[in-house]
Amino acid sequence: MSVAESSLAGAAKTRPGFLDSSVGKKVVMAVTGIMLFGFVTVHMLGNLQAYMGEAPMNHYAEFLHTMIHGMGIWVFRGVMLVAVVLHGWAALSLTLSNMAARPVGYRATQVQAATFASRTMRWTGVILGLFIVYHLLHLTTGTLHPSFDPANPYRNFVTGFKVPLASAFYIVAQLCLGFHMWHGVWSLTQTLGWAHPRYDRLRRRFAYVMATVVAAVNISFPIAVLTGIIHL
Ligand code: HEM
């Protein structure tokens, strides 16, 4: 092999792949972001059953647990786990390469140009990660629930939110979700090439409305339980 050939082969071996580039990681964040956005929206709609009472909510939960002979929920859990892990990995990896490229940080004048939601993406993301772990131990496995009944999700919902500290954490996490979705939806439409002066107002409004509706409806659940609107 000539010197030129061997250096070409070496370069091919070490050439960074799509996922090593920051564009690749942003695409991973955008695609998994769409999946998570779809999930939280559908999950919020499903949870509205709590306002209809015990039987509708428990029937809905039973349907989710038994669809496709009980396999559906496991396929869904697997897909969501992969999406969450990839989303977190891409975020961490982009953060580390940004820090390596810009160890001193932006000057205050540049920071002011960003919105509160965009500047807090990392913090809201970390709080949401912690929230997901707590939420699964609270309402799915019941490990951190005061009186968990695996056969009655409605009862778990009500008795779970009767604990003020638990409700307070849900409310804080949903505020983080709102800010995270607001900037995230705006940003992912940019990454996927949908930025255009003609659609920018629509993109901005869509991100704002969806983030506000999902956060507000989710915050209404613990408040409805604490005020007795949703009860046993
Ligand atoms: C106040 C807002 C929320 C309420 C009231 C709520 C309620 C619930 C309930 C009752 C369950 C258990 C369902 C069952 O076992 O049948 C559940 C499961 C779950 N929730 Fe939420 N949720 C909320 C917000 C969120 C958010 C923001 C996320 C994600 C960021 C999320 C992710 C999940 C996941 C991954 C599961 C497990 C699904 C499974 O595999 O069984 N939830 N939620």
Side-chain angles (χ1 to χ4, degrees), residues 12 15 36 51 62 73 85 89 113 152 155 162 171 174 176 180 192 199-200 225:
R15 195 177 57 199
L36 298 169
Y51 283 108
E62 199 188 330
I73 192 144
V85 169
W89 164 78
N152 197 334
R155 173 171 280 275
K162 277 274 178 229
I171 292 171
Q174 303 316 304
C176 291
H180 200 84
L192 298 179
Y199 304 121
D200 277 359
V225 170

Side-chain angles (χ1 to χ4, degrees), residues 36 39-40 43-44 47-48 50 57-58 60-62 64-65 73-74 76-78 80-81 84 128-129 131-132 135-136 138-141 148 150 152-154 156-157 161 167 170-171 173-174 177 181 214-215 217-222:
L36 298 169
F39 168 73
V40 290
H43 190 42
M44 178 269 295
N47 284 331
L48 280 172
M57 187 168 183
N58 285 348
Y60 172 67
E62 199 188 330
L64 293 180
H65 286 255
I73 192 144
W74 286 104
F76 162 80
R77 282 172 175 165
M80 280 299 126
L81 182 66
V84 169
L128 283 172
F131 165 75
I132 293 172
H135 183 49
L136 293 177
H138 186 223
L139 289 179
T140 299
T141 65
F148 193 73
N152 197 334
Y154 179 83
N156 298 333
F157 179 104
F161 287 139
S167 277
Y170 269 82
I171 292 171
Q174 303 316 304
L177 177 67
M181 268 177 79
V214 170
V217 171
N218 279 352
I219 287 173
S220 82
F221 296 124

Side-chain angles (χ1 to χ4, degrees), residues 123-188:
W123 284 111
T124 52
V126 168
I127 294 172
L128 283 172
L130 295 174
F131 165 75
I132 293 172
V133 175
Y134 170 70
H135 183 49
L136 293 177
L137 295 173
H138 186 223
L139 289 179
T140 299
T141 65
T143 321
L144 294 180
H145 192 282
S147 56
F148 193 73
D149 175 356
N152 197 334
Y154 179 83
R155 173 171 280 275
N156 298 333
F157 179 104
V158 177
T159 50
F161 287 139
K162 277 274 178 229
V163 178
L165 205 58
S167 277
F169 182 48
Y170 269 82
I171 292 171
V172 170
Q174 303 316 304
L175 287 172
C176 291
L177 177 67
F179 283 116
H180 200 84
M181 268 177 79
W182 184 9
H183 180 72
V185 171
W186 162 258
S187 177
L188 74 85

Side-chain angles (χ1 to χ4, degrees), residues 54-73:
E54 184 162 352
M57 187 168 183
N58 285 348
H59 280 145
Y60 172 67
E62 199 188 330
F63 160 74
L64 293 180
H65 286 255
T66 53
M67 62 183 176
I68 325 178
H69 306 289
M71 259 168 51
I73 192 144

